């Protein structure tokens, strides 16, 4: 009950601070581009995803924003629910899906790319930490406090077992394992991110793109939007040419 109230409060905050909702929440089924499934991170509800989703739609990308439990829940359980959305979207459009995830949303996206690579035509993570070690101290404190509350019995919130136990071992392993070779992979990060520094948000397998801005700016900022659009266009070119993914390594 308390978790639902927190999620409702975050939803209301998003409604008050973000632009009005767009009428189309489901993509046109007669599209010539792969649909995009957009994920938010900790504390992110659908209204916070609206500006980026609307901007990408205006550029011709069919987008569905997915916010399950404001990103607060167990990684494995949340990925289970998002997998259903992924399969439904791929089935409805008849096309594979590009996954874009901000912060913890990128962790969900990476886990899905491992689970269902045949349904995924691209993976873009934005300010996404792939390991806890190396996160800035305030974020570590926040994660510890949140999982302590979940361990104490608050439903809908990740528990300590999700971080170190068997509950989410597969979810954690997916953050470190190579992304399936068939899935183009881009990591977008910022040196100005005071939540998740570059060292935990990049991957030697990926195209790593450094953009200006803080952690929230990676979700709503113009530089991050342009980088996401560039990555989506690059993945489209990859699909059209049938060539293998190239990797750019940015100095960290």
């Amino acid at each position: 009950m308390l978790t639902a109230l927190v999620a409702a409060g975050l939803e209301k905050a998003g409604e008050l601070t973000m632009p009005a909702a767009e009428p189309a929440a489901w993509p046109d089924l007669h599209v010539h581009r792969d649909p995009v499934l957009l994920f938010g991170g900790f504390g992110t509800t659908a209204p916070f995803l609206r500006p980026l989703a609307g901007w990408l739609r205006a550029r011709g990308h069919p987008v569905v924003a997915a916010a399950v439990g404001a990103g607060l829940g167990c990684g494995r359980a949340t990925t289970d629910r998002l997998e259903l959305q992924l399969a439904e979207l791929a089935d409805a459009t008849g096309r594979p899906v590009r996954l874009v995830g901000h912060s913890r949303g990128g962790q969900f996206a990476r886990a899905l790319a491992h689970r269902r690579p045949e349904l995924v035509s691209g993976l873009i993570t934005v300010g996404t930490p792939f390991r806890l070690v190396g996160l800035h101290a305030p974020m570590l404190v926040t994660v510890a406090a949140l999982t302590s509350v979940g361990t104490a019995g608050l439903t809908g919130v990740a528990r300590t077992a999700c971080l170190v136990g068997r509950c989410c071992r597969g979810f954690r392993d997916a953050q470190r394992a190579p992304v399936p070779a068939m899935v183009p992979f881009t990591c977008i990060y910022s040196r100005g991110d005071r939540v998740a520094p570059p060292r935990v948000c990049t991957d030697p397998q990926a195209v790593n793109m450094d953009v200006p801005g803080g952690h929230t700016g990676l979700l709503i900022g113009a530089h991050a939007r342009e980088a996401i659009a560039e990555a989506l266009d690059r993945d489209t070119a990859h699909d059209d040419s049938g060539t293998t993914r190239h990797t750019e390594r940015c100095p960290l």
Side-chain angles (χ1 to χ4, degrees), residues 129-136 140 176 197 199-201:
F130 300 122
R131 56 188 183 275
L132 286 177
V133 177
L135 280 176
H136 288 306
L140 285 174
R176 297 184 292 271
R199 61 183 176 273
V200 298
C201 294

Side-chain angles (χ1 to χ4, degrees), residues 22-41:
E22 296 206 350
W26 191 257
D28 182 355
L29 300 187
H30 304 288
V31 296
H32 300 290
R33 291 190 176 195
D34 293 347
V36 175
L37 196 53
L38 176 62
F39 306 117

Side-chain angles (χ1 to χ4, degrees), residues 110 123-125 130 177-180 183-189 201-209 231 234-235 245-250:
R110 187 163 182 170
L123 169 64
I124 302 171
T125 61
F130 300 122
V179 170
V183 179
F185 180 24
T186 300
C187 295
I188 298 171
Y189 69 97
C201 294
T202 53
D203 191 292
Q205 182 191 6
V207 175
N208 295 298
M209 303 178 68
R234 183 173 55 247
D235 291 350
R245 173 171 62 241
H246 71 285
T247 301
E248 299 170 359
R249 298 196 182 190
C250 296

Side-chain angles (χ1 to χ4, degrees), residues 74-94:
C74 164
R76 176 189 53 78
T78 301
T79 305
D80 288 346
R81 294 177 61 183
L82 292 173
E83 183 179 358
L84 297 176
Q85 293 192 37
L86 169 62
E88 181 182 4
L89 181 55
D91 182 64
T93 60

Side-chain angles (χ1 to χ4, degrees), residues 93-211:
T93 60
R95 301 181 69 96
V97 178
R98 303 188 193 283
L99 306 179
V100 179
H102 173 253
S103 194
R104 196 183 187 212
Q107 296 179 354
F108 302 142
R110 187 163 182 170
L112 284 175
H114 277 276
R115 285 192 187 188
R116 303 298 303 272
E118 77 283 3
L119 299 182
V120 178
S121 57
L123 169 64
I124 302 171
T125 61
V126 187
T128 296
F130 300 122
R131 56 188 183 275
L132 286 177
V133 177
L135 280 176
H136 288 306
M139 188 59 188
L140 285 174
V141 171
T142 300
V143 170
L146 183 68
T147 54
S148 295
V149 171
T151 302
L154 184 61
T155 58
V157 176
R159 299 171 298 151
T160 302
C162 296
L163 301 180
V164 296
R166 286 185 291 180
C167 167
C168 291
R169 179 178 295 168
F171 177 78
R172 298 193 305 270
D173 289 346
Q175 308 308 314
R176 297 184 292 271
V179 170
M182 68 180 73
V183 179
F185 180 24
T186 300
C187 295
I188 298 171
Y189 69 97
S190 173
R191 297 175 190 275
D193 191 335
R194 297 186 179 277
V195 173
R199 61 183 176 273
V200 298
C201 294
T202 53
D203 191 292
Q205 182 191 6
V207 175
N208 295 298
M209 303 178 68
D210 182 10
V211 301

